[in-house]
Amino acid sequence: MRHIIVGLLALGMFLANTNHAAAVEKTKIVFIAGKPSHAPGDHEHRAGSMLLAKCLNENMPNVEAVVTSYGWPEDTSIFDGASSVVIYCDGGGGHVLNKNLEFFQKLMDKGVGLTCIHYAVETTKGECGDKFLEWLGGYFEPDWSVNPHWTANYTTLPTHAITTGVNPFEINDEWYFHMRFVDGMKGVTPILTTVPPVSTMDRKDGPHEGNPFVREAIAKGEAQHMAWAYDRPGGGRSFGFTGAHFHRGWQDDNFRTLVLNAIVWSAGLDVPEGGVPSPTPTDEEMKANLDEK
């Protein structure tokens, strides 16, 4: 009897240690969702972040995705143990990172991954822009990059972990292009590339609308990159994605899977064969957590 009791105790300790190890081994991914912005259904930072986090938590057993809403978190301990940070917020002069460059640099120095979605790829020229080049490999630079609404047709995709299980797709969005990239695009792998139609240049020149440099590029038929992966020279992986102006885009399986794959890749994990699985969100799921606007 004594041997049986000892054996059961040993088994219990083994299972407890196993469960503890499994919990410790979860890869933490932190989403920073920005404040309410734009019209209903547009720039749904909180709802989009919570939807993506739900997809990861329900379909990636080794991932723990957490969301902090309405801008930079008051309690920065949320970043403790994070393997990657996903930022989905308004950019430009109000970007959540602009006033937190020093803090975020410490995360980047640790090799923490980074994903910036839509407006979060834009900041201001100068110190912030230089940091984005260092951390993200490229960014939306005012008076250089543009933000038209148009239907992009991605007929071919590169072979990369991020494109695993993703088929060519076509979707209307506010696809930014003519991004400012690091010199020679060293370390940058274009993920979504196509030639924007001439109609994207219909607007007058402006900080987001047009400039002589982008007009010349489009007139020449130069391909533009709307999403990219970046292997940072100091270690760490980053992903820039210019789409997702419209919340409805997350119901497109290829669109959603591409971003989920990228987030997992940025965290240093292997993308599952066939891509990160996630069922198409229902209309009810899409309505969840929308901002009051």
Side-chain angles (χ1 to χ4, degrees):
M1 178 65 71
R2 182 171 179 275
H3 294 298
I4 294 176
I5 293 173
V6 171
L8 289 173
L9 287 173
L11 177 61
M13 291 178 65
F14 172 77
L15 292 175
N17 289 334
T18 301
N19 291 334
H20 176 71
V24 170
E25 288 171 5
K26 281 209 171 190
T27 298
K28 185 178 181 181
I29 297 173
V30 178
F31 284 76
I32 302 177
K35 297 177 182 179
S37 167
H38 289 58
D42 302 346
H43 288 220
E44 294 289 354
H45 305 133
R46 180 169 179 265
S49 295
M50 295 184 79
L51 179 67
L52 293 174
K54 180 174 183 284
C55 290
L56 291 171
N57 287 330
E58 292 183 351
N59 299 286
M60 293 291 292
N62 58 337
V63 167
E64 177 195 9
V66 297
V67 180
T68 178
S69 301
Y70 308 127
W72 187 257
E74 292 184 9
D75 183 3
T76 56
S77 67
I78 193 172
F79 297 111
D80 292 350
S83 293
S84 190
V85 176
V86 181
I87 305 178
Y88 191 13
C89 68
D90 280 355
H95 199 292
V96 297
L97 291 185
N98 290 359
K99 295 181 180 180
N100 298 286
L101 298 179
E102 184 177 351
F103 179 93
F104 209 74
Q105 181 66 63
K106 295 176 183 177
L107 295 180
M108 296 292 95
D109 289 343
K110 293 178 181 178
V112 174
L114 172 63
T115 294
C116 289
I117 299 175
H118 197 51
Y119 200 178
V121 303
E122 181 189 338
T123 188
T124 54
K125 288 186 284 188
E127 182 182 14
C128 294
D130 292 343
K131 285 298 181 185
F132 270 54
L133 286 176
E134 179 184 335
W135 299 339
L136 195 61
Y139 79 106
F140 184 111
E141 181 184 290
D143 295 308
W144 176 262
S145 309
V146 291
N147 66 346
H149 287 253
W150 55 291
T151 299
N153 187 6
Y154 302 111
T155 57
T156 59
L157 299 171
T159 300
H160 192 281
I162 291 174
T163 61
T164 303
V166 180
N167 297 313
F169 64 99
E170 182 179 22
I171 192 168
N172 182 271
D173 208 323
E174 185 183 27
W175 292 109
Y176 307 161
F177 59 86
H178 204 244
M179 310 300 285
R180 176 69 74 185
F181 289 106
V182 292
D183 290 343
M185 295 190 69
K186 188 175 181 180
V188 174
T189 301
I191 299 296
L192 292 181
T193 301
T194 192
V195 178
V198 176
S199 60
T200 59
M201 295 289 98
D202 285 348
R203 298 178 296 174
K204 296 180 180 179
D205 283 353
H208 299 85
E209 297 77 16
N211 57 73
F213 310 104
V214 68
R215 293 187 189 284
E216 180 181 359
I218 298 306
K220 292 179 179 178
E222 294 180 3
Q224 301 294 318
H225 310 306
M226 274 58 71
W228 65 93
Y230 184 50
D231 290 281
R232 304 201 303 267
R237 297 170 171 178
S238 301
F239 178 68
F241 185 77
T242 70
H245 174 89
F246 301 116
H247 187 58
R248 63 174 183 259
W250 301 122
Q251 280 189 308
D252 184 289
D253 292 339
N254 292 300
F255 183 98
R256 184 182 67 261
T257 300
L258 184 93
V259 175
L260 290 172
N261 287 350
I263 294 170
V264 167
W265 173 83
S266 74
L269 296 173
D270 293 330
V271 175
E273 185 177 351
V276 175
S278 68
T280 306
T282 64
D283 289 342
E284 287 304 310
E285 288 177 309
M286 293 294 290
K287 293 176 184 176
N289 306 306
L290 294 173
D291 291 327
E292 294 183 9
K293 298 180 177 180

